[in-house]
Amino acid sequence: MSDLVIDDGKPNTFWDRVKWAFSKNEYGEIRPEIAHIPVVVFCGSLVGMMVGGRHGTRIRGASNIASNQLTVYTSSAQAERDHFSAILLGFFQYGCRWGWRAGLYSGIYSTTLTAVSIGRDKEDALNYIAAGATTGTVYKLFSGFRGILVGALFGAGICTPIGLTMQALGHFIPYEKVLKDEIAVQNAKKKQRLEVTEKILYRMENEYENSKNI
């Protein structure tokens, strides 16, 4: 199984390795190295929506109470309905606003981290620092040079302890080797299924040719 490692056929330069990783494999599928990015974007959007929605319910709820203190309702059910509508509107309004931003920046961070890791062909803290700096730069892209610099430094500063922690864990947990072995096993199974399919098709073709000659 060791002769099926994913390094076989991998280019030698930084940009070629990045392009290789973000292209489809020989089976026409997304490579396992980047398959986690859509999941990260979805989870980031979901968390952002939940946090933003909770924040929005408090804001809209308090605003509804403050602006309707002199409003005369015909019944308590009408007042509760109006308050619930305001809370629901706040949840979706702030949830969507925070959700797409969280999904965007988590996608930028995950994509940059993956690209730098594959391009450098190395797992260390520098990958996390570069991803954090890039995400911070994009976040402050329209805030001028000083804002961009602050965003990059802030993102890099937050991700430095994360990167150092992951680098330290990498010495005890060989997750990179585990990932390569898992990909090698998946590729071996796909090749085996493909060989079986080709044999079946070849046998069917021979049987069809023999039946025509009879």
Side-chain angles (χ1 to χ4, degrees):
M1 200 65 67
S2 59
D3 56 343
L4 293 173
V5 291
I6 61 173
D7 286 337
D8 293 342
K10 184 184 290 187
N12 295 322
T13 62
F14 180 92
W15 289 113
D16 286 341
R17 279 195 292 265
V18 172
K19 287 189 291 185
W20 171 86
F22 285 87
S23 62
K24 292 185 178 180
N25 59 16
E26 62 270 25
Y27 305 105
E29 302 172 344
I30 297 176
R31 297 188 185 276
E33 291 87 350
I34 64 170
H36 66 280
I37 294 178
V39 180
V40 172
V41 173
F42 174 76
C43 293
S45 301
L46 187 61
V47 171
M49 186 173 184
M50 293 297 104
V51 175
R54 183 174 177 82
H55 179 65
T57 55
R58 290 201 300 266
I59 292 178
R60 288 295 184 182
S63 176
N64 179 262
I65 293 174
S67 60
N68 290 288
Q69 289 183 353
L70 300 179
T71 303
V72 178
Y73 293 100
T74 57
S75 64
S76 60
Q78 182 186 6
E80 291 176 359
R81 209 164 35 241
D82 183 67
H83 185 67
F84 179 76
S85 299
I87 289 176
L88 194 62
L89 177 64
F91 178 85
F92 283 107
Q93 182 180 10
Y94 283 83
C96 293
R97 186 183 302 173
W98 286 43
W100 77 262
R101 287 183 173 88
L104 173 65
Y105 294 122
S106 60
I108 293 172
Y109 178 83
S110 180
T111 303
T112 306
L113 176 61
T114 303
V116 174
S117 301
I118 294 174
R120 296 180 65 237
D121 200 18
K122 188 184 296 184
E123 293 286 344
D124 56 20
L126 186 59
N127 300 333
Y128 294 85
I129 296 172
T134 303
T135 307
T137 299
V138 175
Y139 181 72
K140 290 290 186 179
L141 192 61
F142 301 104
S143 301
F145 177 75
R146 182 177 297 179
I148 292 175
L149 183 61
V150 170
L153 293 175
F154 182 75
I158 289 179
C159 294
T160 297
I162 299 175
L164 292 173
T165 303
M166 295 302 294
Q167 183 175 341
L169 289 175
H171 293 292
F172 302 99
I173 305 174
Y175 54 88
E176 185 178 4
K177 183 178 181 301
V178 171
L179 175 62
K180 289 183 177 181
D181 291 343
E182 180 63 26
I183 293 174
V185 171
Q186 292 178 7
N187 288 339
K189 290 181 179 179
K190 289 177 182 177
K191 288 181 180 179
Q192 187 178 10
R193 287 197 297 266
L194 185 61
E195 290 175 357
V196 172
T197 304
E198 290 177 349
K199 290 180 180 178
I200 294 174
L201 292 175
Y202 180 73
R203 184 182 303 171
M204 292 174 63
E205 185 178 356
N206 287 338
E207 291 178 353
Y208 177 73
E209 292 295 334
N210 293 334
S211 64
K212 285 177 62 178
N213 295 330
I214 295 176

